[in-house]
Amino acid sequence: MARRPLPRIPISGNDRIARSRELARTAADNATDVLHPLITISRGLRLLAAAGLRKWADTPKDRRGPGLFLAAVCVLAVALVPYGPLLGLIGLMGVAAWKGRERVPVRTGPDESQIARLQALHDALVPYFSVPEDPSPLFAHGGEWAKAFSDHEFDGDGRLTRLRVKYPPYFPDGETEARARIEQLLHAKSGRGREYLFVWEEEANQLLMSVLPPLPTTIAAQRFVTSPGELVLGFTDPDAVRRTMPVLDGDATRDAPPVVWRTGPRSTEPHLLAVGHPGSGTTSLLRSLALQTLPYGDVLVVEGSGTGEYACLTGRAGVLAVECGLAGALAGLEWAAHETERRLISANRARQAGHPAPRTSGARCASSWTDPASSAMSRPRRADPTPSSCCRSR
């Protein structure tokens, strides 16, 4: 019985073209894989030749003759050395292969998410840095952010850490309210939870915003090197004050810039009100101040929270009492009022009689009253609930 031929599948013209393209693409890929070393060496030779031509063009005319003579001597030396031409050719191919290798391009500008953040910040500043009368505004909705922003840097989370903003000359940068609005907007758009430093360059119409680095948290309460009547409130940035003092930071000693509170009869700010939310470091600040005042006077602590956060001062020399209850607090405050009145009357009588102020048993009576519902004046840079750490402020 004769076999019947299998039916042929009809192939249209489009299918033939698609198959031809696929075959051509496959052949090109195979040829590229086979000729890849030759392509790399050719690319390297082209780059070396271009570099040589640029070097020749940059060479002064009076030095081209000695350069050609030196090149001819090198070629002659290679030719006279045994296997010199072969080794020279191998070396040239190796250098060309290294020069012509494929390099991964390094991205220097911001990525897509960073560009979107910069564009959003640019659009948010339009109502503050533009007026209808400006024919070519620097800030406009849908405008280019690259004209107004420069020196931009981002952290690992994609948030801005540094930005230079160029604003129009008609912006009232001398007004405090106008500056505050811009700083508040930049703070909100760049990410909360960090401290920013704003430097206004009025002559150049530029604003530089940078994120301040975190202050050290390893400096514990200790005996600081201060003059009589000076108390250390905390430590700040090195460029904020001109004074430094040696402190014990962990196991090493280093110089740190302090924030000093000057007290005494001639002090312009003899009283301190430290207020803050729970966990902001107010208790640590008051404990540090109490420890610093012990060598010079008496300390009375009235604690309104009753959590015993000042129990470490109980029994120390110079600590009159640490009161947490209502009765003890009233008695302590009444004693402090009578003692203060007695000292003022005694000093006034001595002044009227022309005598120096009498010395009392304690040079200072420091009363600290803490309340968990109170709020601060001495604002630390960040929360510092560690009992032994000093408060840090800017």
Side-chain angles (χ1 to χ4, degrees):
M1 184 176 180
R3 294 184 178 179
R4 294 182 180 179
L6 296 175
R8 299 181 59 184
I9 301 176
I11 301 177
S12 61
N14 295 334
D15 294 339
R16 291 193 183 95
I17 295 175
R19 290 184 60 185
S20 301
R21 289 178 179 176
E22 185 177 358
L23 291 175
R25 190 180 299 109
T26 304
D29 294 340
N30 294 335
T32 303
D33 295 339
V34 173
L35 300 177
H36 184 267
L38 183 59
I39 296 174
T40 302
I41 293 176
S42 301
R43 187 190 304 117
L45 290 175
R46 186 176 67 254
L47 294 176
L48 290 176
L53 291 177
R54 287 195 302 269
K55 185 66 176 178
W56 177 260
D58 296 339
T59 304
K61 293 183 178 181
D62 56 343
R63 296 184 181 180
R64 291 181 180 181
L68 286 176
F69 177 75
L70 181 60
V73 170
C74 293
V75 172
L76 181 60
V78 171
L80 295 177
V81 173
Y83 304 102
L86 180 60
L87 295 178
L89 181 60
I90 294 174
L92 178 61
M93 294 298 104
V95 173
W98 176 261
K99 190 71 175 179
R101 73 189 188 279
E102 295 182 356
R103 297 180 177 89
V104 178
V106 179
R107 189 181 184 89
T108 56
D111 55 17
E112 296 181 359
S113 62
Q114 296 172 355
I115 292 176
R117 184 182 290 270
L118 290 173
Q119 186 65 41
L121 182 59
H122 174 273
D123 295 341
L125 291 172
V126 169
Y128 303 95
F129 285 151
S130 64
V131 293
E133 295 80 8
D134 193 351
S136 57
L138 187 61
F139 287 82
H141 291 289
E144 298 182 3
W145 59 266
K147 296 181 180 180
F149 297 158
S150 62
D151 298 344
H152 45 76
E153 297 179 4
F154 295 85
D155 57 7
D157 298 332
R159 298 191 300 175
L160 281 168
T161 58
R162 180 182 175 89
L163 180 66
R164 184 178 295 274
V165 181
K166 182 180 180 181
Y167 55 88
Y170 50 79
F171 175 74
D173 51 6
E175 300 179 2
T176 305
E177 297 181 357
R179 286 189 176 189
R181 287 194 296 267
I182 301 301
E183 293 177 0
Q184 184 179 4
L185 177 62
L186 292 175
H187 190 182
K189 294 296 183 180
S190 301
R192 300 185 182 274
R194 301 180 298 176
E195 291 195 56
Y196 295 87
L197 177 63
F198 298 95
V199 179
W200 290 84
E201 302 175 5
E202 300 180 7
E203 297 179 356
N205 296 325
Q206 294 182 0
L207 168 62
L208 178 61
M209 181 195 71
S210 58
V211 177
L212 296 174
L215 290 174
T217 59
T218 55
I219 303 177
Q222 54 191 277
R223 291 185 178 273
F224 299 108
V225 182
T226 56
S227 302
E230 292 183 345
L231 298 176
V232 177
L233 298 180
F235 297 90
T236 183
D237 298 306
D239 55 349
V241 294
R242 300 180 180 179
R243 176 180 176 181
T244 60
M245 64 172 54
V247 295
L248 185 62
D249 188 357
D251 298 333
T253 302
R254 67 180 183 89
D255 293 336
V259 179
V260 179
W261 174 37
R262 292 176 176 86
T263 61
R266 299 183 180 181
S267 175
T268 58
E269 298 176 350
H271 304 287
L272 175 68
L273 175 63
V275 230
H277 298 287
S280 61
T282 310
T283 303
S284 301
L285 172 62
L286 296 179
R287 276 199 297 257
S288 176
L289 292 177
L291 292 175
Q292 295 180 61
T293 55
L294 285 180
Y296 308 104
D298 301 328
V299 175
L300 171 63
V301 179
V302 179
E303 182 181 1
S305 60
T307 57
E309 294 181 342
Y310 296 88
C312 59
L313 301 176
T314 305
R316 290 178 177 264
V319 178
L320 300 178
V322 178
E323 300 293 347
C324 299
L326 178 59
L330 291 177
L333 293 177
E334 184 178 358
W335 175 88
H338 288 308
E339 180 66 16
T340 302
E341 183 180 2
R342 183 188 66 82
R343 294 184 183 186
L344 291 176
I345 293 175
S346 178
N348 188 25
R349 289 176 180 176
R351 189 181 300 108
Q352 291 178 357
H355 301 296
R359 293 188 176 182
T360 58
S361 58
R364 183 186 297 108
C365 177
S367 174
S368 60
W369 188 355
T370 65
D371 188 350
S374 53
S375 296
M377 178 198 80
S378 175
R379 176 180 146 241
R381 278 197 42 182
R382 53 180 288 190
D384 187 11
T386 308
S388 61
S389 298
C390 285
C391 176
R392 300 148 298 130
S393 59
R394 285 203 187 269

